[in-house]
Each structure stands twice: as structure tokens, then as C-alpha cells.
């Protein structure tokens, strides 16, 4: 949970850094990051690239989880929806997609709703925050 929390905070900072589109009316790089387009990472400030590299190294050195994440219960899904909004489950599941899907958002789509949702999650009590952070990376089945 601690590594996941630190990664959610890092992703929030990355989205903030990439939220302005290169040209008005174009798709912001933060949407590419959310869709798993690894090339979006090259547009990140060097400090954020270094922090992500450090995080990856720490995650690789950490003990593996003792079990695979279980699908959320109906109660957990309800808590997630009421806490940070519908559509949060799996929101960050594509960050490291092997083969990202075609963009599903229009050209000028903003990352502000995602950033706001991550900010709301940060302010939650620990148990709810850990649930939200886990389910952000867990795709719908």
C-alpha cells in the first residue's frame, strides 16, 4: 500500500505537468499518459522521470505481494463510487499498457477530472484511501 500510495502521488504530479496541450485544441499529453502511451513520459520534466525511475527500482526490490488482488465486493465498489465517483475503478490500469488502445477521448479533453479525483482520494481516511488506490489500478472484469 505504501508503494502504491507513493505512485498515485507521482502520477498526480505527472498529470499536472502534462495537462497543458502542446497546441490549443490538441489532445494534452496527460491523456496519452492515462491511455498507456509510454512516449508521453518523454515530455515529463526530468525530475519526475527520475522519481518514477526510483519508484520502479524500489518496487522491483520490494517483496512480492502475498496474494493477487481480489475483485472488489459490491460494498467496495459502492464505497469507491460514493467516495471518488463512478468510473474510478481501473482509471490508472492502462498507465503501463503493453499495447494501448486507440484514444477514447476527444482532442481537447482535459485531465482535470482525473487530477481532482486523485486529490479527493488523498484526503480520505486511510482505509478508504487504500481501497481507492488499489481499485484505481484494477480494471473492471
Amino acid at each position: 500500500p505504501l508503494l502504491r500510495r507513493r505512485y498515485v502521488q507521482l502520477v498526480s504530479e505527472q498529470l499536472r505537468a502534462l495537462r497543458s496541450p502542446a497546441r490549443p485544441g490538441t489532445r494534452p499529453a496527460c491523456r496519452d499518459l492515462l491511455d498507456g502511451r509510454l512516449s508521453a513520459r518523454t515530455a515529463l520534466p526530468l525530475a519526475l522521470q527520475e522519481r518514477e525511475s526510483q519508484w520502479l527500482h524500489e518496487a522491483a526490490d520490494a517483496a512480492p505481494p502475498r496474494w493477487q488482488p481480489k475483485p472488489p465486493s459490491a460494498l467496495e465498489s459502492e464505497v469507491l463510487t460514493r467516495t471518488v465517483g463512478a468510473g474510478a475503478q481501473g482509471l490508472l490500469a492502462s498507465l503501463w499498457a503493453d499495447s494501448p488502445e486507440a484514444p477514447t477521448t476527444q482532442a481537447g479533453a482535459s485531465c482535470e477530472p482525473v487530477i481532482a479525483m486523485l486529490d479527493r482520494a488523498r484526503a480520505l481516511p486511510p482505509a478508504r484511501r487504500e481501497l481507492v488506490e488499489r481499485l484505481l489500478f484494477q480494471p473492471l472484469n
Side-chain angles (χ1 to χ4, degrees), residues 15-123:
L15 293 174
R16 288 176 200 282
L18 298 176
R19 69 178 157 196
S20 297
R23 293 182 319 273
T26 62
R27 179 182 163 94
C30 61
R31 296 306 317 182
D32 290 336
L33 184 70
L34 287 171
D35 287 343
R37 290 182 163 54
L38 299 180
S39 61
R41 287 181 160 71
T42 61
L44 288 167
L46 187 56
L48 285 176
Q49 290 181 34
E50 289 172 352
R51 280 188 48 214
E52 185 170 60
S53 294
Q54 289 172 325
W55 183 90
L56 286 167
H57 183 59
E58 291 172 16
D61 286 343
R66 293 189 306 244
W67 57 83
Q68 292 295 320
K70 61 181 177 21
S73 67
L75 179 60
E76 289 174 327
S77 294
E78 184 66 22
V79 167
L80 181 72
T81 299
R82 289 180 185 239
T83 303
V84 292
Q89 184 175 345
L91 188 65
L92 303 180
S94 296
L95 282 173
W96 290 94
D98 289 336
S99 55
E101 297 178 15
T104 56
T105 58
Q106 61 251 64
S110 165
C111 294
E112 295 306 320
V114 178
I115 293 169
M117 187 267 309
L118 293 175
D119 288 345
R120 282 192 307 276
R122 189 177 319 158

Side-chain angles (χ1 to χ4, degrees), residues 5 83 121-134:
R5 180 170 312 119
T83 303
R122 189 177 319 158
L124 294 172
R128 279 193 220 156
R129 184 182 62 230
E130 287 180 15
L131 173 67
V132 169
E133 290 168 346
R134 176 175 63 88

